[in-house]
Amino acid sequence: MLRPSYLQSGDHVALISPAGIISPEVVNYATEILHSWGLVPLVGKHVTSQCGYFAGTDEERLEDFQWALDSEDVRAILCTRGGYGCMRIVEKADYSCFQGNPKWLVGFSDITVLHTKLTSLGIESLHAPMPKSYQNTDNEALERLKQFLFGTVNSYTLPAHPFNREGVVRADLTGGNLCLLHCLRSSTVEYPQDETILFIEDVGENLYAIDRMMQSFKLAGRLKNLQGLIVGGFSNMKGENFGKNAYEIIREAVEDYDYPVCFGFPAGHIPNNYPLILGASIELTVDENGSEILFL
């Protein structure tokens, strides 16, 4: 996998809205933060546009995305928010210039679609907070985003979780939002199925839907050949009468396999949304004392 160059003070970064609607106030707040990091934010032409549920028409969102992919001055692409919309434009974009001049793509939630596409192209990307969530993101997590962008990439050490399964493995990291990964299954944009460490998170889903997605992955053979599993935040779950919480559902779905499983990684639709480099080779260690994730 190819890792984009880390940022330096004075670099230009693009803000685009490939999915849901964002307010000008949120964009302004984000540009202030980026300026404080020594970066020069370039705001996409249609970043605050509106067309029904989306931040502009498909053509407008695609225009901004293509501009950010192709611009030689842009060193990172910051997606302002998730929601829905990336699936409508992901395969309409031309990635040929981007592949010759890769840059960091940053986001989570619906941006899982774009992360998965870049993984298929052999380019690493950053699952991390977006401008819409900056105000609600812990300062430490936001500072870690800055560190990752500027090349200070450290390991994570997590406390033990009762659902963890011990083991040590090295493999490429993939994944993102569980619902989006499920929607992408068997499409032209799909996460690598075998010999990878899968990260999953989700928000606002009914617990029976979490179970249905996990069982669907299991029936399709998408879980058995993993090298490891990292389970992030599953927040604001619905349907508590299902009888199991999200972590219990996931533990049950992978209980037939023997790879290491790390529960409780702080990433997803939660305030302590720490960055992960998707596509990166990592070493995952899970033992009785907790878990460690080392980026190689």
Side-chain angles (χ1 to χ4, degrees):
M1 298 290 288
L2 181 62
R3 181 167 297 179
S5 298
Y6 295 118
L7 302 187
Q8 298 179 10
S9 181
D11 279 349
H12 293 178
V13 296
L15 274 73
I16 63 168
S17 302
I21 297 167
I22 198 77
S23 71
E25 292 77 18
V26 170
V27 174
N28 292 337
Y29 182 82
T31 59
E32 290 177 5
I33 289 180
L34 296 170
H35 277 303
S36 74
W37 292 356
L39 299 172
V40 180
L42 305 177
V43 178
K45 178 181 177 182
H46 306 291
V47 72
T48 58
S49 294
Q50 298 185 30
C51 181
Y53 187 82
F54 307 109
T57 64
D58 289 354
E59 292 75 18
E60 289 172 334
R61 300 194 323 280
L62 177 61
E63 180 183 345
D64 276 6
F65 184 38
Q66 194 67 61
W67 159 73
L69 289 173
D70 294 347
S71 176
E72 293 185 3
D73 293 335
V74 169
R75 300 312 313 150
I77 304 171
L78 308 183
C79 301
T80 63
R81 62 159 296 175
Y84 170 62
C86 290
M87 290 182 70
R88 298 176 62 91
I89 65 173
V90 60
E91 289 291 67
K92 297 178 181 179
D94 180 352
Y95 299 90
S96 55
C97 288
F98 176 81
Q99 288 178 274
N101 182 33
K103 59 201 73 174
W104 290 105
L105 181 132
V106 185
F108 70 106
S109 192
D110 196 60
I111 311 306
T112 295
V113 176
L114 306 183
H115 287 308
T116 307
K117 176 63 180 182
L118 297 197
T119 297
S120 74
L121 297 176
I123 298 171
E124 297 177 4
S125 56
L126 201 54
H127 184 282
M130 298 178 287
K132 186 176 187 294
S133 61
Y134 281 179
Q135 289 184 294
N136 298 316
T137 300
D138 290 350
N139 288 336
E140 188 175 343
L142 205 56
E143 177 64 23
R144 188 65 72 95
L145 167 58
K146 176 186 174 183
Q147 293 173 353
F148 269 56
L149 285 171
F150 281 84
T152 303
V153 179
N154 299 314
S155 62
Y156 288 112
T157 301
L158 307 174
H161 190 284
F163 290 176
N164 281 357
R165 188 162 58 217
E166 296 183 15
V168 180
V169 66
R170 288 189 175 192
D172 289 347
L173 178 65
T174 189
N177 181 263
L178 177 62
C179 181
L180 268 298
L181 295 172
H182 186 261
C183 290
L184 292 171
R185 197 187 68 180
S186 300
S187 72
T188 58
V189 182
E190 183 177 21
Y191 76 90
Q193 300 176 30
D194 301 330
E195 308 303 320
T196 59
I197 298 171
L198 178 65
F199 163 72
I200 54 174
E201 65 84 28
D202 219 319
V203 63
E205 289 287 345
N206 200 302
L207 287 166
Y208 81 81
I210 299 295
D211 186 74
R212 181 172 58 193
M213 287 185 279
M214 293 302 298
Q215 292 301 319
S216 175
F217 279 139
K218 187 171 184 177
L219 289 171
R222 298 303 201 272
L223 299 177
K224 67 178 180 179
N225 293 325
L226 294 175
Q227 291 295 296
L229 178 66
I230 298 173
V231 186
F234 278 75
S235 53
N236 301 325
M237 293 289 108
K238 303 172 185 176
E240 294 182 0
N241 62 342
F242 184 73
K244 299 172 186 175
N245 64 36
Y247 275 18
E248 290 170 332
I249 290 168
I250 295 165
R251 179 182 64 170
E252 180 184 67
V254 299
E255 64 184 357
D256 294 337
Y257 315 120
D258 60 3
Y259 45 74
V261 181
C262 165
F263 280 87
F265 186 84
H269 292 75
I270 52 179
N272 56 333
N273 183 13
Y274 282 73
L276 288 167
I277 305 176
L278 298 179
S281 179
I282 69 169
E283 181 176 273
L284 172 65
T285 302
V286 184
D287 58 30
E288 61 182 7
N289 298 314
S291 304
E292 182 181 40
I293 297 172
L294 177 64
F295 293 92
L296 304 176

